[in-house]
Amino acid sequence: MRDKFHKTVLPNDENKGIPLLIQASGAVVVMLLGFAIFAFANFHGYIVNNYAGENYAAVVAAVLIDQTNDEREDEQLPELQPSELLTASAQLKADDMARDSYFAHVSPDGLSPWYWFEQAGYRFSFAGENLAVNFRDSGSVTRAWMNSPTHRANIVNGNYQEIGIATARGRYKGKNTTYVAQHFGTPYVTPYQFDFSGLVGREVTPAEQEVAINEAREFLAAAADSNAIEKLLVQPDKIYSYAYLLLSLLVLVIGINAYVSSESRQDQKNIVLYSAMILIVLAALGLATLELLNTEVIAGTII
């Protein structure tokens, strides 16, 4: 076993100075592994959309808060603080969309986003809402929002101080899906508070309010307890990027070591040729995988 390892990654007499990993046969194996990662990326969305449960959705929401604050940090804006009431208002909105199978800022009953802020008891000076549906991971949601000028404007709005994000499982256009509601706000300061007196619609029962508040508390507790590994698992773009990066670094390190150790000019040329070929294929597969994760078919819809 040890001899095989040395022949695979280290230059020696048995492999004629070129590690098997960067010889023709090894190059084929590495590239096949790269294609396997790409193939799994295609299958990843199906797994998440059909088998992910509510715990997965809770972690997605926690990651979305981190990603939102990362985007704000890039714009040198202060972090948004998670709010129990905003999370409850987002939960009420997400639950309403899931219950009635619609996707819009204004419900079929004519309820505006501000209605859910009021039902959760959140009085604000400034507020905003981003929605998403049919996304398979948090990274796709954030990228889609940031690629949309209106959604990006909410995420990097300096007037907002707090945030609440919630998800709900339901059906949309005949398919099982996850609805995502992202609420932004700044608690009201007289005289800027919003006038809720004109809001009409079905009354949210005390039981629904209590459920939304409890779900908000559970989410905030889960967000605080989630570790780096859990957050990484719901960001497949990072996982696949790291996989390609590690493969590329492995090939690069082995290639450099073999090149430096070799005294044959022809061997050095072969080492450079095989290493470059593998790295180019891995880079192309990595870019193709990220593009796949960004496609509209997989990414979903935002409003």
Side-chain angles (χ1 to χ4, degrees):
M1 181 65 71
R2 186 175 180 180
D3 289 340
K4 288 184 179 179
F5 175 79
H6 286 168
K7 287 170 62 177
T8 302
V9 302
L10 297 175
N12 52 56
D13 293 337
E14 292 187 63
N15 55 35
K16 298 181 180 180
I18 303 179
L20 296 180
L21 191 67
I22 54 174
Q23 289 187 23
S25 56
V28 171
V29 171
V30 173
M31 288 187 286
L32 285 176
L33 183 57
F35 278 107
I37 296 173
F38 179 77
F40 188 80
N42 279 274
F43 196 56
H44 182 95
Y46 175 82
I47 296 173
V48 171
N49 287 331
N50 289 277
Y51 300 106
E54 296 301 328
N55 290 335
Y56 180 93
V59 178
V60 168
V63 172
L64 282 171
I65 290 180
D66 290 343
Q67 292 178 339
T68 298
N69 280 326
D70 287 343
E71 298 294 344
R72 289 177 64 86
E73 184 179 357
D74 290 343
E75 299 295 324
Q76 299 182 330
L77 292 169
E79 285 191 356
L80 297 174
Q81 299 303 311
S83 161
E84 182 178 290
L85 293 181
L86 274 183
T87 303
S89 70
Q91 190 66 64
L92 287 169
K93 172 65 176 181
D95 288 344
D96 193 64
M97 289 191 295
R99 179 174 50 252
D100 293 339
S101 299
Y102 75 92
F103 182 62
H105 287 295
V106 178
S107 75
D109 296 332
L111 302 178
S112 74
W114 324 126
Y115 177 79
W116 306 107
F117 285 75
E118 165 67 0
Q119 294 304 307
Y122 190 86
R123 295 274 176 165
F124 56 83
S125 301
F126 301 98
E129 176 182 79
N130 284 343
L131 301 177
V133 70
N134 286 340
F135 285 83
R136 72 182 197 180
D137 64 82
S138 51
S140 296
V141 176
T142 300
R143 284 193 299 273
W145 280 337
M146 290 301 293
N147 287 334
S148 163
T150 54
H151 295 82
R152 183 182 187 280
N154 268 338
I155 289 175
V156 298
N157 190 325
N159 290 322
Y160 298 145
Q161 297 177 359
E162 298 178 338
I163 188 172
I165 299 179
T167 62
R169 294 289 292 175
R171 292 183 65 80
Y172 181 60
K173 294 184 177 180
K175 295 182 178 180
N176 293 329
T177 189
T178 297
Y179 292 89
V180 183
Q182 181 182 49
H183 282 181
F184 304 91
T186 296
Y188 80 85
V189 177
T190 306
Y192 300 108
Q193 66 263 36
F194 184 83
D195 181 9
F196 290 104
S197 60
L199 293 174
V200 294
R202 72 171 187 82
E203 189 66 26
V204 172
T205 67
E208 287 178 302
Q209 285 181 314
E210 184 177 355
V211 168
I213 290 292
N214 287 336
E215 289 179 333
R217 288 171 179 163
E218 290 174 2
F219 157 69
L220 294 176
D225 291 339
S226 59
N227 56 43
I229 298 298
E230 289 175 332
K231 291 181 178 180
L232 178 63
L233 290 176
V234 293
Q235 301 181 75
D237 53 333
K238 287 189 176 182
I239 292 177
Y240 296 127
S241 296
Y242 290 157
Y244 284 117
L245 180 60
L246 287 174
L247 272 178
S248 299
L249 286 175
L250 177 64
V251 171
L252 189 60
V253 169
I254 291 173
I256 291 175
N257 181 61
Y259 184 90
V260 172
S261 301
S262 177
E263 297 179 356
S264 167
R265 189 66 177 169
Q266 185 59 46
D267 286 348
Q268 289 179 337
K269 288 182 179 180
N270 289 335
I271 291 168
V272 171
L273 176 63
Y274 285 130
S275 299
M277 179 177 63
I278 297 171
L279 292 174
I280 289 171
V281 171
L282 290 178
L285 286 171
L287 292 174
T289 301
L290 292 179
E291 181 63 26
L292 173 69
L293 296 174
N294 277 302
T295 58
E296 197 65 31
V297 174
I298 293 176
T301 307
I302 59 173
I303 57 172

